[in-house]
Amino acid sequence: MELRGDDVVLRPVGDGEGEVLDGIVREPEVAAWWSPPEDYEGMLAIVFEGEVIGAVQFEEETDPEFRRAGIDIFLTARHHGKGLGTDAVRTLARWLVRECGHHRLTIDPAAANTAAIRSYGKVGFRPVGIMRAYGRDHQTGLWQDALLMDLLAEELT
């Protein structure tokens, strides 16, 4: 699978790219929100101008009564604020809606991650509510709140 956005390409993580992604998730600006996963299998590399700059993943609920998909993303700090994360999320969201038939998508950034929340809002995600003590702060070990956001297919920008 290869998905093309306006500026980024999403494709399966290739051999040896796990090391690159490990370096990215250890950057202080990224490590504040992410901890290194056990492996990068099932993730899509975010490629910009031939360089892996992050990864995005999705999970799907396939029960017809509750069908939906969720998205998670991280991007090297060097490319924060350039719209590339927004492009990656929008590209994956379009595929999940148009090709996989999901009518609703969710994303759940830390409530304090205002840059991520702003980025997801540009794609069309809307705040649903605060999930209290949802995940651990990777630096302090304390529980932190997350903002549940969702997007209905007809709201996708």
Side-chain angles (χ1 to χ4, degrees):
M1 164 174 42
E2 182 174 285
L3 306 175
R4 295 194 168 274
D6 292 335
D7 296 307
V8 301
V9 173
L10 308 180
R11 60 156 175 76
V13 174
D15 290 338
E17 292 176 339
E19 292 177 14
V20 172
L21 295 171
D22 270 340
I24 293 171
V25 294
R26 293 179 197 292
E27 295 172 6
E29 301 90 341
V30 180
W33 315 112
W34 268 83
S35 60
E38 290 182 26
D39 63 52
Y40 295 93
E41 187 176 325
M43 287 190 175
L44 300 174
I46 302 169
V47 182
F48 174 65
E49 296 181 345
E51 176 190 359
V52 173
I53 63 168
V56 64
Q57 65 184 3
F58 64 93
E59 52 85 21
E60 297 179 275
E61 172 56 62
T62 58
D63 180 332
E65 299 276 326
F66 300 98
R67 188 159 166 74
R68 64 156 193 87
I71 298 174
D72 285 307
I73 181 174
F74 66 87
L75 197 67
T76 182
R78 215 162 28 86
H79 288 293
H80 287 180
K82 298 179 181 179
L84 300 175
T86 303
D87 187 27
V89 170
R90 182 180 291 117
T91 300
L92 182 57
R94 285 180 176 156
W95 180 77
L96 288 166
V97 167
R98 295 175 182 166
E99 302 301 320
C100 300
H102 290 288
H103 78 284
R104 181 174 170 269
L105 307 177
T106 60
I107 200 161
D108 54 6
N113 192 345
T114 55
I117 293 165
R118 190 171 42 254
S119 174
Y120 307 150
K122 291 176 184 176
V123 177
F125 283 89
R126 297 181 184 180
V128 174
I130 295 292
M131 297 184 294
R132 299 176 306 140
Y134 182 70
R136 291 217 186 257
D137 181 297
H138 304 290
Q139 295 169 335
T140 67
L142 300 174
W143 291 103
Q144 63 180 351
D145 294 346
L147 177 65
L148 177 61
M149 302 178 78
D150 73 0
L151 168 75
L152 300 180
E154 61 269 15
E155 298 167 344
L156 183 59
T157 60

